[in-house]
Amino acid sequence: MSKTPDWPRIAVVGAGAVGGYFGGMFARAGAPTVFVGRKHFADAVNSKGLVLDKSQGQERIRVKASAEMSAIQDCSLILFCVKANDTAATAKQMAPFLAPDATVVCLQNGVDNADRVRAAANVAAVPAAVYVAVSAPEPGRVKHLARGDLIIGPRSKITTELTKLFVRAGIPCRISDNIEGELWVKLLRNCALNAISALGRACYGEIAQSDDAKQLMQNIVDEVLAVARAACVVLPGVHDRASGMAAAMEIATQMSDALSSTAQDLNRGRPTEIDSLNGYICRRGAELGIPVTVNQALFTLVKLAEQQRVVREE
């Protein structure tokens, strides 16, 4: 009988909804997992466990959590799940505690997080396109609505072993040799849906049923594709405006009951990731001489709404 290989020690840095879900999947599979998050999250998990609320029912998992970055010491796999705005600062904070052989997987929105982690922490960082509809209704509880799969890359010994680990934990994962393009496909989908969901206070399914919203989505998609072409980025499966719109609509229908993470952040008075979504397209469009007036309008409106609602956390 072949022996089941040992799990690596895993740390989840930025244990919110996404980190709670993927870290929870590893923990329920038996991997030694520690969660690093805000104090109220750590207190709730240490006292009551992490609750995974899935369609099949709730499961309470006993895990360790901490508000201190030093908890990642001796962990060889880091699931890096902080908001994109916090990538560089958190990576610098993490650097002194990283094991020499540690690998960081960036489970984040945006296209350049792995580069920023490498620059700030001098560590092996793997980009991932993350597809999951999940929320954190209360500290220590993660509600899963749809999907929960990853695309990582490029193909290497590290990504091959990582894929085996994710699949073993019940997380579908595949390798792409065009991971930049996959990240841009995810960016296109985020740009087309997140701001509309946030400003319209609408779930994805409501957006998909609105002709006016779909026309707005098409305008966003057209601008994102124009910037991608100018940047010489090839988006897998997206060859023209129709397939770009289809890629965005696929998420709107697969995750019809979900509110975007941008909407969830605004509702909770937290900073959004709009700078790494429509804001990123605005910056790249300006650099490349591509007009992106619709993305600029949505970016500006979300930033104004954010200023009205964001509260300073203690």
Side-chain angles (χ1 to χ4, degrees), residues 169-192:
I171 300 166
C173 180
R174 67 176 174 88
I175 299 174
S176 171
D177 289 321
N178 179 15
I179 189 60
E180 180 186 28
E182 297 287 0
L183 291 171
W184 270 78
V185 172
K186 175 71 185 297
L187 176 66
L188 179 148
R189 289 163 156 165
N190 282 146
C191 287

Side-chain angles (χ1 to χ4, degrees), residues 206-243:
E206 292 170 322
I207 296 171
Q209 292 171 8
S210 166
D211 290 338
D212 290 331
K214 285 189 286 188
Q215 181 58 59
L216 181 55
M217 286 175 63
Q218 184 68 75
N219 294 336
I220 298 164
V221 166
D222 290 345
E223 292 182 356
V224 173
L225 292 180
V227 173
R229 283 192 295 270
C232 300
V233 178
V234 176
L235 280 64
V238 177
H239 312 293
D240 52 23
R241 67 194 308 257
S243 54

Side-chain angles (χ1 to χ4, degrees), residues 119-139:
N122 190 28
V123 66
V126 174
V130 181
Y131 290 101
V132 66
V134 67
S135 64
E138 59 188 88

